[in-house]
Amino acid sequence: MLTFIGLGLFDENDISLKGLDAVSAADLVYAEFYTSRLMGTTIEKLEALYKKPVHILLREDVEQNPDWMMAAKDKNVVFLTGGDTMASTTHVDLRIRAHDLGIETKLIHGASIISAVYGLSGLQNYRFGKSVSIPFPYISARGNRVVTETPYDTIQKNKENGLHTLVFLDINPDHGYMKVSEALKLLMEVEHKRNEGVMENQIAVGIARAGSDDVCVKADFAGNCGNFDLGGPLQILVIPGELHFLEAEALVKLAGAPDCILKEE
């Protein structure tokens, strides 16, 4: 049996009781933290709670050489991830591989950043469009700095349909954890390159450290990048589309958005 377990949002205590029972009964415990991180804990704390070793898998162990999975043919193996267990397509692919090998699988879900965003911001879940990720700029083969423009296009397409955009921020070994302020500057850079003037006066919502006692939620105009100093990681960005009056009220009262976004009755 291979059991996929989502660990939740922030620290070792976010695992469900069902998940903890499954870990306690497991013969082998594996985890990957390259798709998502639990910023409020350490491997040592996880092992102390589980009372057994946690084997950390690298990207290639999960995506290219998941030989460790073969042990699940005759042992109870658990695979731990931050957030919800099937939030990444990588994990879906891994489950399909297990199925093809005749390995029985089970899912134990955890709290997801996606549902946390809805609650923390007050934005309604059915009003979100396609989500997108903003990567750090990279250097091309010609030595040019390249800022990916796809996130900007996705945001504008969602806005045309009145929909909000959930924007995931890059985690990169060379650059670290992207901040909301950095993401907004990259979006503004694309806007200035195209000589468009829609993003600067667009409301943006930044959320940091969801699931912790130190969670931070801030709403302001995207052009005010300097006002989005949210502290440490992990951070996520939302660019709202058309706001329902309850959503606008929530952003003002719960996230400090400017009063001018409130619609007159």
Side-chain angles (χ1 to χ4, degrees):
M1 169 75 79
L2 176 59
T3 303
F4 295 83
I5 303 175
L7 297 179
L9 295 172
F10 187 70
D11 62 26
E12 71 277 8
N13 296 315
D14 285 340
I15 189 172
S16 68
L17 292 176
K18 185 182 292 185
L20 188 58
D21 286 343
V23 174
S24 298
D27 298 308
L28 291 167
V29 180
Y30 292 95
E32 71 84 357
F33 294 118
Y34 68 86
T35 58
S36 181
R37 307 283 177 89
L38 297 183
M39 301 305 298
T41 193
T42 63
I43 300 303
E44 291 74 19
K45 289 181 179 179
L46 292 175
E47 292 180 330
L49 177 63
Y50 305 154
K51 296 180 174 58
K52 58 184 58 180
V54 177
H55 305 282
I56 303 301
L57 299 171
L58 302 176
R59 180 186 291 270
E60 52 265 31
D61 298 323
V62 177
E63 298 181 359
Q64 300 172 27
N65 303 304
D67 298 337
W68 54 272
M69 192 167 56
M70 297 302 295
K73 280 183 170 289
D74 52 21
K75 294 182 179 180
N76 286 326
V77 178
V78 299
F79 176 72
L80 310 177
T81 61
D84 190 24
T85 183
M86 287 290 136
S88 171
T89 54
T90 294
H91 306 148
V92 177
D93 177 68
L94 196 61
R95 190 183 182 201
I96 292 173
R97 292 194 192 198
H99 177 273
D100 292 343
L101 291 169
I103 298 172
E104 185 179 359
T105 62
K106 179 180 179 180
L107 306 183
I108 299 178
H109 296 282
S112 167
I113 186 59
I114 297 173
S115 56
V117 164
Y118 305 149
L120 290 169
S121 67
L123 298 175
Q124 298 167 3
N125 62 350
Y126 63 90
R127 296 171 62 86
F128 277 75
K130 180 181 178 180
S131 60
V132 71
S133 298
I134 295 184
F136 283 105
Y138 65 94
I139 304 301
S140 71
R142 295 183 177 182
N144 299 319
R145 177 177 174 275
V146 179
V147 176
T148 304
E149 299 186 19
T150 301
Y152 185 92
D153 293 330
T154 300
I155 291 168
Q156 296 310 317
K157 178 66 70 173
N158 282 339
K159 280 181 60 63
E160 289 173 8
N161 295 315
L163 300 174
H164 312 322
T165 307
L166 182 62
V167 184
F168 295 95
L169 309 185
D170 200 2
I171 298 174
N172 184 295
D174 297 323
H175 301 285
Y177 305 97
M178 183 179 287
K179 297 180 179 180
V180 166
S181 57
E182 293 175 299
L184 289 173
K185 288 177 182 177
L186 291 173
L187 291 172
M188 296 302 300
E189 188 172 336
V190 174
E191 173 148 296
H192 293 155
K193 174 183 176 182
R194 296 184 177 185
N195 197 28
E196 298 179 5
V198 294
M199 183 64 70
E200 188 166 353
N201 294 318
Q202 162 69 49
I203 284 291
V205 185
I207 297 173
R209 299 173 302 283
S212 75
D213 292 334
D214 189 34
V215 63
C216 180
V217 184
K218 174 66 178 177
D220 201 343
F221 294 111
N224 297 332
C225 302
N227 289 345
F228 286 89
D229 182 8
L230 308 181
L234 292 174
Q235 300 187 14
I236 195 164
L237 172 65
V238 182
I239 303 296
E242 183 179 353
L243 291 170
H244 184 276
F245 71 90
L246 283 178
E247 293 179 306
E249 183 178 7
L251 290 181
V252 170
K253 294 182 177 179
L254 304 179
D259 291 345
C260 61
I261 71 170
L262 294 173
K263 298 178 179 179
E264 294 184 3
E265 297 292 338

